[in-house]
Amino acid sequence: MVVDDVFPIVTSADLERLLPFYTDVLGGERVYQFPPQGAPAYVSLRFGTAALGLGHDPEYQPAPGTPAISLWLYVDDCDATVERVRASGGRITEEATDQPWGERIARAEDPDGNLLVFGQRAAEPAT
């Protein structure tokens, strides 16, 4: 297993309210939005060399004292990572599945119950 990138994702029930804080107030540069048109379900921001994801979940209600963050870890093989986590006794909360934006993802929990999302980048198109 090779992890080559990690970035936090902040989840909000009101992304339209939260997004200007990270862009206008903190100076984040919007580098990606899904879907590309209309109200975003996800926005990726760049702060220098750092990345931050903002995700929209209209039903999100953090438990008192629980941070609204998950870790997205890019891996070279999502399925192998799931099996490695499972073999170690880790809890897989979502099996690896292909996503409409081209990546393959799976979700798990760390030993403290924090959300981990394992992402495998979309294959480069043949040229």
Side-chain angles (χ1 to χ4, degrees), residues 26-122:
L26 298 181
E29 174 189 0
R30 188 186 306 214
V31 295
Y32 177 79
Q33 174 179 312
F34 185 82
Q37 307 298 321
Y42 173 81
V43 175
S44 181
L45 302 175
R46 175 76 49 200
F47 296 86
T49 60
L52 173 68
L54 300 178
H56 180 238
D57 179 355
E59 298 179 20
Y60 182 74
Q61 295 180 4
T66 302
I69 195 166
S70 61
L71 289 179
W72 183 291
L73 300 94
Y74 272 113
V75 297
D76 60 341
D77 186 331
C78 191
D79 295 274
T81 302
V82 165
E83 291 311 313
R84 183 177 175 142
V85 170
R86 183 178 281 122
S88 74
R91 182 168 181 261
I92 303 300
T93 60
E94 183 181 316
E95 295 295 329
T97 55
D98 294 330
Q99 300 301 309
W101 58 87
E103 294 178 329
R104 186 164 178 78
I105 69 165
R107 289 182 170 82
E109 289 180 353
D110 72 9
D112 289 339
N114 294 306
L115 176 63
L116 303 175
V117 182
F118 302 112
Q120 181 177 332
R121 288 188 169 94

Side-chain angles (χ1 to χ4, degrees), residues 4-17:
D4 68 358
D5 196 11
V6 177
F7 63 90
I9 298 174
V10 176
T11 301
S12 176
D14 189 353
L15 186 56
E16 289 184 11
R17 174 191 49 78

